[in-house]
Amino acid sequence: MPTFRVVDFMDDLLPIASRVTGVFLVMVAGGFCRKTGWLTVESDRSLANLTANVLLPALFFDRMISSDTVQSLSETWFPPLVGFLFTVLGFGMGALVAHFLGPAIGLTTTAQKRAFILCAGIANYGYIPLPLAQQFYPDAEVSLIIHNVGVDMALWSLGIMVIAGRAGTRWRRIFGSPPLLAVLIGLGLKQAGGAEWIPQPVLQMTQALGACAIPLGLLLSGAIIVDYLPRMRWHEGKAVLTVASLLRLIILPVLMLVFAKFAVGESNLKEVLLLQAAMPAATFPIVLVRLYDQDVGTAVRVALGTSVIALVSIPLWMWIGAIWLGLSPAG
């Protein structure tokens, strides 16, 4: 029976903690840029559109074309299905908490409950796990991108129903989104053998643009979070944050890791689920909560609160989960 050694524990944990901290420091830089006026509120929409419609599609297309780990089209259905189902599970568990415990923890209005369900139900699936995948599990990056297609589908269908209060599934928004189109086109070209016919300057362009996607996305996330910090009354929402943290940072990670252990055989998808299990709540739903006039305070409390706790929980889950799944803790 292997013995626990503090030295080995720290040797595994410190590199993870260091790299996770580095990702969050880019968000801190975004907040600093906002405070100094270098990243203005007026620029948010244009930069967000640039990231979502140009930089991320370029990154995804580049990864689909250049990766040697792209599966055949007949095998790519499982990662997005897993992403979709775990996001739906998150929304469902969030709804149960809001319904049965809502008044007891301070979720007294419909707007607060809807914001809680959306934000606690969906993990950060882009700006934090993607750079961590690049650093720790580079072979799993493509699987993570494909997995995220399913998460997007859940967000723009069931997630919109949750936050808008109506059954308006945005199928055009899902299937017409540039990131998804980039994944599908890249996969199609790769499987059809057309990747070798793409001119080298085009590949250089997508590689250069894709390299900008994650840093800019993290900068924007940090700037948006800083905007809401002065409005927060943290002492009024301790119960909401506690319950959201239990759900997002303990219960759902355990379920995901158990599923990865006993229902997933492919190592890359196990690494994807390990990364997703370690994630805090996503920050993008804050934008949707504001767009649909629900309770922004609850959204920021859940997203930002779990993200702060995640500075500690991400390294721990990545270490514990890697051992549980038989993976290397440091990638």
Side-chain angles (χ1 to χ4, degrees), residues 50-278:
L50 176 68
T51 302
N53 298 323
V54 179
L55 303 183
L56 280 175
L59 173 65
F60 294 170
F61 181 82
D62 175 68
R63 294 301 188 266
M64 295 301 114
I65 292 296
S66 62
S67 176
D68 294 329
T69 63
V70 173
Q71 300 165 308
S72 68
L73 289 175
S74 62
E75 297 176 340
T76 55
W77 61 270
F78 191 53
L81 177 63
V82 171
F84 180 88
L85 291 179
F86 269 108
T87 305
V88 171
L89 176 64
F91 291 149
M93 296 185 70
L96 289 174
V97 169
H99 179 74
F100 290 106
L101 298 178
I105 63 176
L107 300 175
T108 57
T109 68
T110 300
Q112 290 174 331
K113 291 178 180 179
R114 291 187 184 280
F116 178 88
I117 295 168
L118 184 72
C119 294
I122 186 168
N124 193 307
Y125 63 102
Y127 294 141
I128 298 178
L130 274 170
L132 292 179
Q134 292 168 356
Q135 293 177 26
F136 291 109
Y137 303 111
D139 289 342
E141 186 182 6
V142 169
S143 294
L144 176 61
I145 291 170
I146 298 172
H147 162 277
N148 289 351
V149 170
V151 180
D152 265 327
M153 294 181 69
L155 174 62
W156 291 106
S157 54
L158 183 60
I160 293 298
M161 292 171 60
V162 166
I163 202 64
R166 59 179 181 270
T169 59
R170 300 289 185 86
W171 297 113
R172 182 180 298 178
R173 179 64 179 268
I174 297 171
F175 292 106
S177 69
L180 176 57
L181 290 175
V183 171
L184 296 177
I185 292 172
L187 276 174
L189 287 173
K190 185 75 170 183
Q191 297 303 314
E196 60 188 44
W197 298 101
I198 300 174
Q200 191 64 31
V202 173
L203 295 177
Q204 292 174 344
M205 176 196 68
T206 57
Q207 184 178 26
L209 290 173
C212 303
I214 300 304
L216 183 55
L218 288 170
L219 287 170
L220 280 173
S221 296
I224 291 172
I225 287 173
V226 163
D227 289 341
Y228 287 101
L229 283 178
R231 312 178 197 179
M232 296 306 300
R233 298 177 180 176
W234 293 102
H235 62 281
E236 297 179 359
K238 292 180 181 178
V240 170
L241 177 57
T242 299
V243 174
S245 299
L246 288 172
L247 177 62
R248 181 74 268 161
L249 301 178
I250 297 179
I251 296 173
L252 286 167
V254 168
L255 294 176
M256 295 178 75
L257 291 174
V258 169
F259 178 84
K261 176 75 171 182
F262 297 107
V264 177
E266 200 264 321
S267 61
N268 286 348
L269 185 53
K270 284 186 176 182
E271 292 165 352
V272 168
L273 288 172
L274 169 60
L275 289 168
Q276 285 300 114

